[in-house]
Amino acid sequence: MNLTSTEKLVTDLLQEIGEDPQREGLLETPLRVAKAYQFLTSGYHMNIEEVMNNAVFNEKYDEMVLVKNIDFYSLCEHHILPFYGKVHVAYIPDGKIIGLSKIPRIVEVFSRRLQVQERMTRQIADTIADYLQPRGVAVVSEAYHMCMMMRGVEKQNSLATTSAVHGDFKEDARTRAEFLNLISQKNL
């Protein structure tokens, strides 16, 4: 991302909405906004291979692995307004496991882009399925969308939930129920 050209765009936007970019409180705003968007869209510049960093290990573990309540922040591609919430990720290994810290990093790769929640959820599940070839993968994302809260229908308490499932989670109702029960339980 070119910070200089983004600064210019923000300056133009400020003028377009009727503000004075030379006003004291706005003097540094274009650069701050450019840096903020650079960070908020950093997922475009993350390489999944580098994120995985050889953290896939051979292991004879065949029970569910779950990392839940992974905080995420993203930008809705329709209005470029934030949506944020939690992602819950589970998989059932078939000879390979992944370092647990890599799961939130995978979430970060896909959430730090202009996004729709449905696609982000599927991308997380598909990535784990592709890299581990597990018996199953399940991902549930829960999010509040500022585009529904600040404008439009203005419904502050609407929570959107999406899921993506593969393998045992799709084919076995008991496995899916176990996952849903585990993510609904309170934290420690």
Side-chain angles (χ1 to χ4, degrees):
M1 172 183 248
N2 183 320
L3 289 178
T4 303
S5 64
T6 305
E7 278 184 84
K8 169 77 170 95
L9 291 169
V10 174
T11 299
D12 291 348
L13 177 63
L14 289 170
Q15 289 173 329
E16 192 65 32
I17 64 172
E19 267 294 351
D20 175 9
Q22 297 306 309
R23 184 166 61 80
E24 181 182 10
L26 295 176
L27 286 175
E28 300 298 320
T29 296
L31 179 59
R32 286 192 295 264
V33 172
K35 287 180 177 179
Y37 274 94
Q38 184 178 49
F39 175 73
L40 295 171
T41 61
S42 60
Y44 289 116
H45 307 291
M46 292 181 194
N47 178 309
I48 202 70
E49 290 287 333
E50 291 174 13
V51 168
M52 299 299 267
N53 195 24
N54 297 316
V56 175
F57 307 102
N58 294 317
E59 187 66 43
K60 292 182 181 181
Y61 186 78
D62 63 359
E63 298 294 328
M64 188 182 308
V65 176
L66 168 64
V67 179
K68 68 180 194 174
N69 296 323
I70 303 166
D71 293 319
F72 80 91
Y73 298 89
S74 192
L75 293 170
C76 163
E77 69 181 33
H78 300 134
H79 302 99
I80 312 183
L81 287 172
F83 68 98
Y84 64 94
K86 307 239 181 239
V87 175
H88 316 286
V89 178
Y91 70 96
I92 300 172
D94 190 16
K96 294 180 183 175
I97 61 170
I98 187 171
L100 293 176
S101 71
K102 299 304 179 184
I103 294 173
R105 291 181 191 279
I106 292 167
V107 171
E108 194 79 357
V109 168
F110 296 111
S111 67
R112 294 291 184 191
R113 301 175 179 194
L114 297 184
Q115 201 47 286
V116 294
Q117 183 177 337
E118 298 88 342
R119 181 187 322 117
M120 180 189 79
T121 304
R122 188 185 70 243
Q123 287 172 324
I124 295 164
D126 290 350
T127 298
I128 292 171
D130 290 346
Y131 275 85
L132 297 181
Q133 299 296 306
R135 291 185 13 226
V137 177
V139 177
V140 168
S141 301
E142 302 171 300
Y144 292 104
H145 291 251
M146 298 308 282
C147 58
M148 288 197 315
M149 297 167 73
M150 293 177 64
R151 54 158 306 282
V153 296
E154 296 184 70
K155 299 301 175 203
Q156 281 66 42
N157 297 306
S158 297
L159 180 70
T161 303
T162 54
S163 67
V165 293
H166 295 291
D168 288 0
F169 290 98
K170 188 172 214 127
E171 298 160 9
D172 183 0
R174 290 181 323 181
T175 302
R176 189 176 184 140
E178 178 185 357
F179 167 67
L180 295 173
N181 180 52
L182 286 170
I183 68 172
S184 68
Q185 292 177 4
K186 283 189 165 190
N187 293 335
L188 296 174

